Amino acid sequence: MTATPGLPPRGARNPGSQGALRHLNQERLVEFLLANGPSTQAELARGTGLSTATVSNIVRDMAVKGVVATSPVTSSGRRALLVQLTDTGDIAVGVDFGRRHVRIVLSTLGYEVIAEEAMALPLGYDVPGAVLQAAALLDRMLVAGAHDRLSVLAVGIGIPGPIDRRTGTVLQGAILPEWVGVRLRDLEEAFRFPVVVDNDANLGALAEVTWGANRGVRNLIFVKIGTGIGAGLILNGLPYYGFLGITGELGHTPVAEQGVICRCGNRGCLETIASTSVMIETLGHGVNAPVSTADILQRGRERDPAVLRVVSDAGTAIGQAIGNIANVINPELVLIGGPLVGLGDALLGPIRRGIQRNAIPVIAETTIVRISSLGDRAESLGAAALVIQGALDGNE
Amino acid sequence: MTATPGLPPRGARNPGSQGALRHLNQERLVEFLLANGPSTQAELARGTGLSTATVSNIVRDMAVKGVVATSPVTSSGRRALLVQLTDTGDIAVGVDFGRRHVRIVLSTLGYEVIAEEAMALPLGYDVPGAVLQAAALLDRMLVAGAHDRLSVLAVGIGIPGPIDRRTGTVLQGAILPEWVGVRLRDLEEAFRFPVVVDNDANLGALAEVTWGANRGVRNLIFVKIGTGIGAGLILNGLPYYGFLGITGELGHTPVAEQGVICRCGNRGCLETIASTSVMIETLGHGVNAPVSTADILQRGRERDPAVLRVVSDAGTAIGQAIGNIANVINPELVLIGGPLVGLGDALLGPIRRGIQRNAIPVIAETTIVRISSLGDRAESLGAAALVIQGALDGNE
């Protein structure tokens, strides 16, 4: 199997092309094989709803790429072709750079995590330095697991900022200004592997429909509430990247006409009143010790009224922005991620009320709103999924 | 060729299925054949960018359905297969029910309009009566053109209201309350043809990427400004229907915290301050003669300050709502439709300013905003396109 080519493996490819569909159908076959073990082509067709012609085309393709092996068998007295996943030993790497950490997962192409490490980074870290540290951590993980470097297909990297898919460059507006202008090539040089990059919220959404409890959900919004507030979209069953790749900028919904200036250059954006850093700042007024996200979690669980009020105000505003979007894209599911999800209903309740307030009744009633099931692993798992999907797509 | 089955031919079909993609590729081949005449399979592959295997699969399929005929020829000394569209005489009917009119177009499967009629309807018309009138008009058009009833594949119908795709029923929230609860079956009984229905804004969007100047645009929002304000979405090259089919409810973005109650049950929705009926009401204050949409157009062109102010306020608010959505779905193109588009820049300018105000800079700079090129024909052409696409899809 060849390594995945550079960015972008998905968005730049014409999503209406044979490739996008074939990829989806491959995923379906791989999932069925993972769940049911070796199966005949006829069983695969019955089990996935795909036509026998489609199954046979894709199986042939996957066999050429070495994803599956086929062998003739007899089934109910007829000749049939048995299909089974080959363990090629290929590894997909997912890396998630956050504000104060980097997390790395190694996965098989069958969505099985084989190693996972997280490392703290100082606030305001130097990006090239942190990237080299992460590359060294990955090298140590590969050595520790006795994995050949050649078995790594590619490294998927999640970055907390918008990425211009035309150029593979992190744009102005990144939560961490240090990331602005970083290019794919810089990352490839540091990691010495092929690299694919995506925005952290997009990867959260992808993780939910690949690793999470929400496989098969076709229209989903993943909202990450952190220092920034961003959304990743799965629409019609595929990650959605829009025209330039700059989607889900929910945090820049204006909510305060005369509000403060936002880092995007606009005024009164949602982020200026509802991000975790604004919550921390608000709760820090008149308090000697600085407040942290961990404090908000802890005090929220103890039902501290100030914390509950700040979280409630932020959650309601975020819910209102989600409601506006839900009116237009009618998602089946809205998943909330980010460091505050441990607050549970203290966060979800206000978000739901905000949606209720801004969405038309039928949308408010039918849209399911839940906490992400993947916690702080969502982005790194999504980054690995990006590599796995690229590998299954091949170089079409 | 068999007639299209009932609703929904597109939304309910799994858009990630082989069918959705095959349909797109078929459209590409049909467009190429329309533009270039009979072509060999190799020419089709070169001209469309599809693989030769895909072309040959789809051509075989279309030949079985009678959409194309194939004949062996010699091309550059080699044997090749010549493909040409067959004129089966099949007709797609598009019907657009507006607030005060019904418009009907008859089209070939090659997107050629062969007849077109519009008929005025009284304000607050009786729906079953109007549907029977439209069915009679269609019958007269078929007789006038000497078209056999059997040549009609299906009737596509555009309705100004949200449609629950689970049940094929017009939902509460329709601009014309008379339409609420109308079922697909009622329409099929009146027309005595298979019927497919969709929301008018969705059909406007579909018309733009099938009949309009925007074929090939993959991410587009069509915003219809009328008594209601609705949006149709083309995302990743396909009409987007979301979870239930209730998408593009842009008119219900709350914009006035303490505003008036909206027909949706919410408060201060965009429609309560920016629909054509509110503009008419506002301009009618203290004036003896009632104002109409035609008056707004006329006086706007004469640069009447009151009209320009009302249109500017409405346009800015609509632009702000569009800007919020553009931040999330990053469309390439926003098209404005509805009865006021004759105002041109007097309407577009404020909309662009509104987008500028609410969208992040990179989105505001790169999103193209234009008047729809199809005028009041957009919805009926979109309804015919729905039938044509259903026919090309066949019963997959």
Side-chain angles (χ1 to χ4, degrees):
Chain A
M1 186 175 304
T2 56
T4 333
L7 173 143
R10 306 183 45 75
R13 192 185 62 219
N14 183 331
S17 72
Q18 203 77 15
L21 182 51
R22 195 171 266 267
H23 144 73
L24 264 183
N25 291 339
Q26 279 179 347
E27 288 278 295
R28 248 188 270 179
L29 292 183
V30 168
E31 282 180 19
F32 186 86
L33 290 168
L34 281 169
N36 299 277
S39 311
T40 66
Q41 293 201 126
E43 285 164 350
L44 282 170
R46 273 198 302 278
T48 58
L50 296 172
S51 73
T52 48
T54 301
V55 169
S56 122
N57 275 330
I58 294 177
V59 164
R60 198 181 315 129
D61 230 57
M62 293 199 295
V64 169
K65 290 184 197 147
V67 180
V68 298
T70 58
S71 46
V73 291
T74 307
S75 165
S76 317
R78 295 175 175 214
R79 284 200 294 186
L81 200 63
L82 192 74
V83 182
Q84 57 191 118
L85 289 174
T86 49
D87 184 4
T88 56
D90 284 326
I91 291 174
V93 178
V95 179
D96 164 42
F97 282 99
R99 201 169 140 75
R100 306 193 62 162
H101 75 273
V102 60
R103 177 182 293 270
I104 301 184
V105 298
L106 309 188
S107 167
T108 66
L109 297 197
Y111 293 94
E112 201 182 323
V113 172
I114 48 185
E116 184 164 5
E117 297 273 357
M119 179 169 71
L121 294 172
L123 203 57
Y125 57 81
D126 159 66
V127 168
V131 168
L132 286 175
Q133 275 184 277
L137 173 58
L138 172 56
D139 287 345
R140 288 197 302 277
M141 290 169 74
L142 291 172
V143 170
H147 303 295
D148 193 318
R149 280 185 70 85
L150 290 173
S151 64
V152 172
L153 287 178
V155 177
I157 301 184
I159 293 173
I163 294 161
D164 187 331
R165 297 184 77 82
R166 295 169 300 183
T167 58
T169 307
V170 180
L171 290 182
Q172 194 64 45
I175 300 301
L176 310 175
E178 301 80 19
W179 277 97
V180 174
V182 169
R183 295 160 310 168
L184 185 67
R185 204 191 326 152
D186 307 329
L187 299 170
E188 295 199 317
E189 275 170 18
F191 277 97
R192 292 171 296 125
F193 284 117
V195 163
V196 291
V197 298
D198 206 340
N199 167 275
D200 56 349
N202 288 348
L203 292 178
L206 179 59
E208 287 291 342
V209 294
T210 48
W211 298 87
N214 303 302
R215 288 188 184 203
V217 171
R218 304 189 47 74
N219 298 296
L220 167 154
I221 307 182
F222 176 92
V223 179
K224 183 169 180 180
I225 306 171
T227 312
I229 299 169
L233 308 176
I234 302 291
L235 302 181
N236 279 346
L238 290 173
Y240 177 77
Y241 293 109
F243 180 41
L244 307 174
I246 304 154
T247 55
E249 294 291 340
L250 196 70
H252 301 289
T253 309
V255 292
E257 180 78 12
Q258 304 296 330
V260 301
I261 297 297
C262 177
R263 64 193 165 83
C264 77
N266 217 329
R267 187 169 189 175
C269 293
L270 179 62
E271 276 186 19
T272 66
I273 68 157
S275 70
T276 50
S277 29
V278 172
M279 291 188 221
I280 285 170
E281 203 186 305
T282 308
L283 287 167
H285 274 299
V287 177
N288 279 331
V291 179
S292 68
T293 321
D295 294 334
I296 295 182
L297 277 175
Q298 161 96 32
R299 287 168 53 189
R301 288 200 190 102
E302 293 162 8
R303 313 213 53 78
D304 175 307
V307 165
L308 292 183
R309 170 64 189 267
V310 163
V311 168
S312 169
D313 289 350
T316 306
I318 293 166
Q320 289 183 331
I322 295 172
N324 284 345
I325 298 307
N327 276 346
V328 172
I329 66 179
N330 182 17
E332 179 174 350
L333 187 59
V334 174
L335 290 164
I336 308 297
L340 295 186
V341 299
L343 288 170
D345 284 341
L347 178 64
L348 266 191
I351 290 176
R352 288 192 175 123
R353 280 196 296 280
I355 293 175
Q356 192 81 34
R357 191 172 173 89
N358 276 19
I360 61 173
V362 59
I363 298 287
E365 282 155 21
T366 54
T367 306
I368 299 167
V369 186
R370 275 207 297 261
I371 295 287
S372 157
S373 57
L374 298 167
D376 51 12
R377 304 174 69 205
E379 295 81 2
S380 54
L381 292 174
L386 203 61
V387 173
I388 296 169
Q389 300 205 337
L392 293 176
D393 288 347
N395 290 313
E396 291 170 295
Chain B
M1 187 177 301
T2 55
T4 335
L7 174 142
R10 305 182 45 74
R13 192 185 61 218
N14 184 331
S17 71
Q18 203 79 14
L21 182 52
R22 196 170 266 267
H23 144 73
L24 262 183
N25 290 338
Q26 279 179 348
E27 287 277 296
R28 249 189 269 181
L29 292 183
V30 168
E31 281 180 20
F32 185 85
L33 290 168
L34 281 170
N36 299 278
S39 311
T40 65
Q41 292 201 129
E43 287 165 348
L44 282 170
R46 273 199 302 278
T48 58
L50 296 173
S51 73
T52 49
T54 301
V55 168
S56 121
N57 275 331
I58 294 178
V59 163
R60 198 181 315 128
D61 231 58
M62 292 200 295
V64 169
K65 288 183 200 148
V67 180
V68 298
T70 59
S71 47
V73 291
T74 308
S75 166
S76 318
R78 294 175 176 214
R79 284 199 294 186
L81 201 63
L82 191 74
V83 183
Q84 58 190 116
L85 289 173
T86 48
D87 183 4
T88 56
D90 283 327
I91 291 173
V93 178
V95 179
D96 164 41
F97 281 100
R99 202 170 140 75
R100 305 194 63 163
H101 76 273
V102 61
R103 177 182 292 270
I104 301 183
V105 298
L106 309 189
S107 166
T108 67
L109 295 198
Y111 292 95
E112 200 182 324
V113 172
I114 48 184
E116 184 164 5
E117 298 270 358
M119 181 169 70
L121 294 171
L123 202 60
Y125 59 80
D126 160 65
V127 167
V131 168
L132 285 174
Q133 275 182 278
L137 172 58
L138 171 57
D139 287 346
R140 288 197 302 276
M141 289 169 74
L142 291 172
V143 169
H147 303 295
D148 193 319
R149 281 185 70 84
L150 290 175
S151 64
V152 173
L153 287 178
V155 177
I157 300 184
I159 293 173
I163 295 160
D164 187 331
R165 298 184 76 83
R166 295 169 299 184
T167 57
T169 306
V170 181
L171 290 182
Q172 193 66 43
I175 302 298
L176 310 175
E178 302 81 18
W179 277 97
V180 174
V182 169
R183 295 160 308 168
L184 185 68
R185 203 194 324 153
D186 307 329
L187 298 170
E188 294 200 315
E189 275 170 17
F191 278 96
R192 291 171 298 124
F193 285 117
V195 164
V196 290
V197 297
D198 206 340
N199 168 274
D200 57 349
N202 288 348
L203 292 179
L206 179 59
E208 288 291 341
V209 293
T210 48
W211 298 85
N214 303 303
R215 289 185 183 205
V217 172
R218 303 188 49 75
N219 299 295
L220 168 155
I221 309 182
F222 176 92
V223 179
K224 183 169 181 180
I225 306 171
T227 310
I229 299 170
L233 308 176
I234 302 290
L235 301 181
N236 279 345
L238 291 173
Y240 178 77
Y241 293 109
F243 180 42
L244 306 174
I246 304 155
T247 55
E249 294 289 344
L250 197 69
H252 301 290
T253 308
V255 292
E257 180 78 13
Q258 303 296 329
V260 301
I261 296 298
C262 177
R263 65 194 165 82
C264 77
N266 217 328
R267 187 169 190 176
C269 293
L270 179 63
E271 278 187 16
T272 66
I273 68 155
S275 70
T276 51
S277 28
V278 172
M279 292 188 221
I280 286 170
E281 204 186 305
T282 308
L283 288 166
H285 272 300
V287 177
N288 279 331
V291 179
S292 69
T293 322
D295 295 333
I296 295 182
L297 276 175
Q298 161 96 32
R299 286 168 55 188
R301 289 200 190 105
E302 293 162 5
R303 313 213 50 81
D304 175 308
V307 165
L308 291 182
R309 171 63 190 267
V310 163
V311 168
S312 169
D313 289 351
T316 306
I318 293 166
Q320 289 183 330
I322 295 172
N324 284 346
I325 298 307
N327 276 346
V328 173
I329 65 178
N330 182 18
E332 179 174 351
L333 188 58
V334 175
L335 290 164
I336 308 297
L340 294 187
V341 298
L343 288 171
D345 283 341
L347 178 65
L348 265 191
I351 290 176
R352 287 193 177 123
R353 281 197 295 280
I355 293 175
Q356 193 79 36
R357 193 173 172 88
N358 275 20
I360 61 172
V362 59
I363 298 288
E365 282 154 24
T366 54
T367 307
I368 299 167
V369 186
R370 275 207 297 263
I371 295 287
S372 157
S373 57
L374 298 167
D376 50 13
R377 303 172 71 205
E379 294 82 1
S380 54
L381 292 174
L386 203 61
V387 173
I388 296 170
Q389 300 206 334
L392 294 176
D393 288 345
N395 289 312
E396 293 168 294

